[in-house]
Amino acid sequence: MSANILEVRDLQTQFNTLDGVVRAVDGVSFDLARGETLGIVGESGCGKSVTALSILRLIPPETGRIAAGSIKFEGEELTTLGEEEMKRLRGHRISMIFQEPMTSLNPVLTVGTQIAENVVRHMGVPWRAARERACEMLDLVRIADARRRLDEYPHQLSGGMRQRVMIAMALSCDPQVLIADEPTTALDVTIQAQILQLMLELKEKTGTAIVLITHDLGVVAETTERVVVMYAGRKVEEAPVEALFTEPLHPYTRGLMRAIPRLDIEADAAGTRPRLQEIPGLVPRLTQPIPGCAFAPRCGFATGRCAVESPPLLDVGAGHTVACWEVDRVRASAL
Amino acid sequence: MSSQSASERPVLEVEGLVKHFPIHGGLLQRRVGAVKAVDGVSFTIARGETLGLVGESGCGKSTIGKTVLKLVEPTAGRIVLAGEDISSLKPGAMWAHRRRIQTIFQDPYSSMNPRLPSGTIVGEPLENFGLSSGRDTADRVARLFERVGLRPDAMRKYAHEFSGGQRQRLGIAKALSVNPDVIVADEPVSALDVSVQAQVLNLLIDLQEEFRLAYLFISHDLAVMRHISHRIAVMYLGRIVELTDKRSLFMRPLHPYTEALLSAATAPDPKRRRQRKHIVQGDVPSPANPPPGCHFHTRCPYAIADCKVIAPPLIEVAEGHHVACLRRPVGGDPGPLSVSS
Ligand SMILES: Nc1ncnc2c1ncn2[C@@H]1O[C@H](COP(=O)(O)OP(=O)(O)OP(=O)(O)O)[C@@H](O)[C@H]1O
Ligand SMILES: Nc1ncnc2c1ncn2[C@@H]1O[C@H](COP(=O)(O)OP(=O)(O)OP(=O)(O)O)[C@@H](O)[C@H]1O
Ligand code: SF4
Ligand code: SF4
Ligand SMILES: [Mg+2]
Ligand SMILES: [Mg+2]
């Protein structure tokens, strides 16, 4: 048995649009170890959600398709798996928390019924047992008065509670992999803190591996063990979380780190307002093939080669990889 | 720092502001209660100063913004803009003052006519207020485009042809066009990615220093708040619970809710993850039915019996540091509170 529960290789997912073919995910590879928490970060539109939807095979077939690559779950190839088998995996062995709970909870069914249905479908237990399971799960995600809440509808719950119901539902069939797409972005800070803490506690208990997708570097620092940084549909850096924050090596990752206003440094506490570092320019359009490094037009380290030749992922040791021709110069420069 | 001279009167003074929204229910849609969205709020902002307004969803931040803009009528309280009481001005009389206070929205796109070129949109207030017309407007708009970092030839483009950050710049140019004294910025960078957010925050700071603008800056992001504000007001369920300069707020938070907010905020530093202190439990109560006494008592680890019945007023407990907590008396020990049993 491989140590990795999920292996994604050279994934390419594309959409046909009026403007042409959008290369939303353009050759992404990563592994997820059993019980691990992996973060995927990057700016809006860089392909995080499409990566997640590709793993679950939820790309709308009318416009999109997995054009190339392989996704292996427990050694089994998912890209060619039949829809019936895929349905058996989804919500059971691989489950997902979507960004907006209201769109993925059914408004006309009670939360108890929704969780129980999932349990009946995947675990083949009788309805009574599934209801019991639903109640246990609501308890587990610390919804007070779980038994009464089983009979409530999504609109009767607060946003934070709905998100906890989503987590309860996603975990109700003991998945081996949980993909959480911006699970806390829509929530208030104090509720976000509760949910993140809860997810980590549940993971300790159940051993579920988590892919946490977010654009919030604070959430990543707080909860993940390893991080994949994406830019324009590609993976540009991957590292253990401490290494990513202490020694980011891709110019884009460095740019991101410098652009965030920080709460945890004392420099501006005196009341001054230091300038934030901007990343000049815009993300490239994904409808044009990008021959070289996708970051080249915005990169202070770029050379002539960067615009024409795509940099391969370079292993710099200790699980840290980076796709940049000029990594030695970047490393030598101040953070 | 804010360029406030000691003698100068604040450009915006808000006193005892109240806004209640009626709740209708039952068959006859009778009035059955009220959401106390804003429940007695006071603050001032000086020229060149940013007052940050932070707090969780539904605590009344946007309602304060809309009320001082006179987009909604206050239920009670006084709003004084550049020395002039505008609280009870009817729309006609308000017109003369409207130029002085402008707004930047979270999503400027929704407020822009998709069929008009961006130059026309930015120039609209200039023409509406009769400040310029024709060629003169076009010249002014071109200068505004340059000032906010857009190319003047982009004036011909439509709103949908701009990126999120560029649209936010359009919104800023439009707000600036009429030389306002005060800008209400309601979550102006919340929808933007960090790299774009940095551009917009830098621009807002530059413009503030250049034109001595006063900002009422609304956000739920503490790091953004700390970056742009001079003073910060923390709100909980319609009331300000703490108001002070940003340094004391972050170094010496006195209100238990502020403490909870600060410890819930994530830091982009994996080494700090285990340092997170107490995470406050429970949900934010509904503003339609807030707990009696101190609104925070249902979640406050330091609550005592009195907290359930007495609503603590916002008082100045140390110089410039205002707190509304029964356990934070004037001149009291600013150290940590002990958890009551
Ligand atoms: N159904 C679709 N049809 C066409 N293009 C799509 C579709 N879904 C996604 N895309 C495009 O694919 C790219 C990647 O989108 P994706 O949703 O993965 O971004 P993301 O990284 O999740 O961003 P965000 O942080 O905004 O959620 C974007 O350019 C997007 O416009
Ligand atoms: N026009 C209205 N009619 C009725 N209730 C309203 C109205 N506008 C706001 N409210 C209520 O007043 C309260 C405060 O709302 P407000 O929009 O000011 O909150 P906020 O602090 O800006 O929240 P957010 O961070 O979610 O934007 C909420 O409970 C809201 O539902
Ligand atoms: S490969 Fe070149 S353009 Fe790309 S990040 Fe490295 S230096 Fe910059
Ligand atoms: S007044 Fe009481 S409940 Fe309110 S914040 Fe202070 S200690 Fe907590
Ligand atoms: Mg997404
Ligand atoms: Mg609001």
Side-chain angles (χ1 to χ4, degrees), chain A residues 15 17 22 24 43-50 60 182 286:
Chain A
F15 294 95
T17 68
V22 174
E43 298 193 30
S44 187
C46 73
K48 305 182 295 295
S49 296
V50 172
E182 310 269 7
L286 301 176

Side-chain angles (χ1 to χ4, degrees), chain B residues 17-283:
Chain B
L17 188 68
V18 174
K19 179 65 198 179
H20 291 180
F21 293 105
I23 304 173
H24 300 279
L27 271 181
L28 299 173
Q29 289 294 305
R30 285 216 186 85
R31 186 181 161 132
V32 292
V35 178
K36 296 175 178 172
V38 179
D39 199 15
V41 157
S42 306
F43 59 84
T44 63
I45 314 180
R47 285 184 195 277
E49 185 188 39
T50 303
L51 177 72
L53 209 51
V54 68
E56 294 185 270
S57 185
C59 72
K61 306 180 297 292
S62 296
T63 304
I64 291 184
K66 286 180 197 155
T67 319
V68 300
L69 285 159
K70 291 295 298 278
L71 298 175
V72 302
E73 284 303 308
T75 306
R78 248 160 54 91
I79 303 161
V80 180
L81 177 64
E84 198 99 29
D85 189 338
I86 59 165
S87 359
S88 48
L89 290 185
K90 294 280 163 281
M94 183 60 205
W95 179 249
H97 302 278
R98 207 167 272 297
R99 180 192 66 75
R100 293 174 170 278
I101 184 160
Q102 293 290 314
T103 182
I104 304 171
F105 297 104
Q106 170 168 0
D107 174 17
Y109 192 52
S110 61
S111 62
M112 288 174 186
N113 185 334
R115 277 182 288 274
L116 292 179
S118 58
T120 310
I121 291 173
V122 170
E124 249 173 358
L126 279 171
E127 307 236 327
N128 286 348
F129 286 105
L131 298 175
S132 71
S133 60
R135 203 47 267 147
D136 183 28
T137 304
D139 287 346
R140 288 217 213 180
V141 171
R143 283 201 301 278
L144 282 164
F145 266 58
E146 271 174 353
R147 187 60 202 85
V148 299
L150 295 169
R151 297 157 53 121
D153 57 18
M155 285 164 64
R156 285 192 306 269
K157 295 212 275 185
Y158 295 86
H160 72 263
E161 297 176 80
F162 292 89
S163 70
Q166 288 173 329
R167 265 179 227 151
Q168 202 49 285
R169 288 168 190 266
L170 284 179
I172 294 169
K174 184 176 176 186
L176 274 183
S177 63
V178 292
N179 283 321
D181 297 318
V182 181
I183 290 184
V184 176
D186 193 350
E187 309 267 12
V189 295
S190 304
L192 304 177
D193 274 318
V194 277
S195 68
V196 185
Q197 171 179 296
Q199 297 171 3
V200 173
L201 288 175
N202 283 340
L203 174 65
L204 285 171
I205 290 178
D206 290 346
L207 294 173
Q208 175 168 57
E209 285 166 3
E210 187 174 334
F211 301 111
R212 291 190 78 219
L213 295 165
Y215 290 154
L216 177 60
F217 195 97
I218 297 171
S219 175
H220 60 266
D221 183 329
L222 284 162
V224 165
M225 217 35 141
R226 169 157 171 181
H227 186 75
I228 195 153
S229 304
H230 297 103
R231 285 183 304 135
I232 296 174
V234 179
M235 286 190 73
Y236 192 74
L237 290 180
R239 297 175 184 163
I240 292 179
V241 296
E242 184 156 9
L243 195 171
T244 184
D245 65 273
K246 75 167 160 199
R247 185 191 173 88
S248 351
L249 192 88
F250 286 101
M251 311 277 276
R252 232 176 301 111
L254 291 180
H255 197 281
Y257 175 64
T258 312
E259 184 190 278
L261 265 189
L262 293 181
S263 69
T266 55
D269 180 357
K271 289 195 280 308
R272 291 168 63 100
R273 66 163 91 182
R274 299 284 167 222
Q275 289 174 21
R276 191 185 263 185
K277 287 180 292 180
H278 176 78
I279 293 177
V280 67
Q281 295 300 324
D283 275 335

Side-chain angles (χ1 to χ4, degrees), chain A residues 179-315:
Chain A
I179 301 176
D181 192 358
E182 310 269 7
T184 58
T185 304
L187 301 176
D188 279 325
V189 264
T190 61
I191 310 298
Q192 163 171 300
Q194 292 172 16
I195 300 272
L196 291 176
Q197 193 187 37
L198 183 75
M199 279 184 37
L200 293 183
E201 280 175 23
L202 293 177
K203 188 191 91 126
E204 298 283 300
K205 266 192 214 151
T206 59
T208 303
I210 299 179
V211 179
L212 182 74
I213 297 175
T214 177
H215 63 264
D216 185 333
L217 289 168
V219 169
V220 162
E222 193 100 10
T223 51
T224 65
E225 291 154 65
R226 218 151 41 84
V227 188
V228 165
V229 182
M230 287 183 67
Y231 185 77
R234 300 173 183 180
K235 176 169 91 172
V236 295
E237 186 162 10
E238 175 178 338
V241 67
E242 294 82 12
L244 190 84
F245 282 85
T246 49
E247 201 187 26
L249 287 177
H250 196 279
Y252 171 66
T253 315
R254 290 190 159 208
L256 275 187
M257 301 268 178
R258 279 194 299 251
I260 21 177
R262 311 266 310 228
L263 266 184
D264 57 331
I265 44 181
E266 306 305 328
D268 67 338
T272 55
R273 298 185 293 180
R275 282 187 85 73
L276 295 168
Q277 295 245 358
E278 303 172 10
I279 303 178
L282 297 172
V283 289
R285 294 159 59 118
L286 301 176
T287 42
Q288 305 292 322
I290 303 168
C293 172
F295 194 55
R298 308 172 74 184
C299 181
F301 294 93
T303 64
R305 177 194 203 175
C306 300
V308 288
E309 244 184 291
S310 186
L313 277 163
L314 184 73
D315 189 343

